[in-house]
Amino acid sequence: QVQLVESGGGLVQPGGSLRLSCAASGRIFSINDMGWYRQAPGKERELVAVITSAGSTNYADSVKGHFTISRDNVKKTVTLQMNSLKPEDTAVYYCNADITTFSRLRKYYWGQGTQVTVSS
């Protein structure tokens, strides 16, 4: 059984910062891409940032320059540092990972989601 557990969401004022973390656990053989998605009320889920196992990153245009994604391959964690937050960043943020288990089954897994609210 594979689990992704997120932490770090909350309420922050515009211009503030939050740091989201996601830890993968279970019978994991390897992890390929890890990323963060978000879904605002009434909108579709969208990609925020993704990082490959080699450390290459890709960001949504809306967050370039103020969000940073990183990962620790040994600890099996991915982190999203969010700076200069805006009200439009308000959403439920989901961790996502492309994982191969020891049974050699490969699929994308999702975390349970963590709420980020940017408001004064």
Side-chain angles (χ1 to χ4, degrees):
Q1 189 78 0
V2 173
Q3 278 191 314
L4 298 179
V5 178
E6 299 134 339
S7 60
L11 173 65
V12 64
Q13 292 186 342
S17 298
L18 279 177
R19 185 178 179 91
L20 304 182
S21 295
C22 172
S25 63
R27 295 181 53 79
I28 296 171
F29 176 74
S30 65
I31 304 177
N32 302 299
D33 293 355
M34 301 185 82
W36 290 92
Y37 288 71
R38 67 186 180 187
Q39 188 166 19
K43 295 187 176 181
E44 293 187 353
R45 192 173 295 189
E46 63 175 0
L47 174 69
V48 176
V50 63
I51 184 167
T52 70
S53 57
S56 296
T57 59
N58 193 30
Y59 296 90
D61 287 342
S62 58
V63 306
K64 282 181 182 176
H66 69 111
F67 285 14
T68 302
I69 189 170
S70 60
R71 65 188 282 173
D72 184 321
N73 290 331
V74 173
K75 294 181 179 179
K76 299 185 181 65
T77 58
V78 61
T79 299
L80 186 69
Q81 177 66 43
M82 304 185 293
N83 299 326
S84 303
L85 282 160
K86 309 170 185 177
E88 51 265 41
D89 294 317
T90 295
V92 177
Y93 283 70
Y94 296 91
C95 175
N96 174 266
D98 177 7
I99 292 173
T100 300
T101 65
F102 282 116
S103 304
R104 297 300 190 268
L105 295 176
R106 180 177 178 177
K107 62 176 283 188
Y108 282 92
Y109 291 84
W110 291 91
Q112 79 283 1
T114 185
Q115 177 70 47
V116 171
T117 302
V118 184
S119 175
S120 54

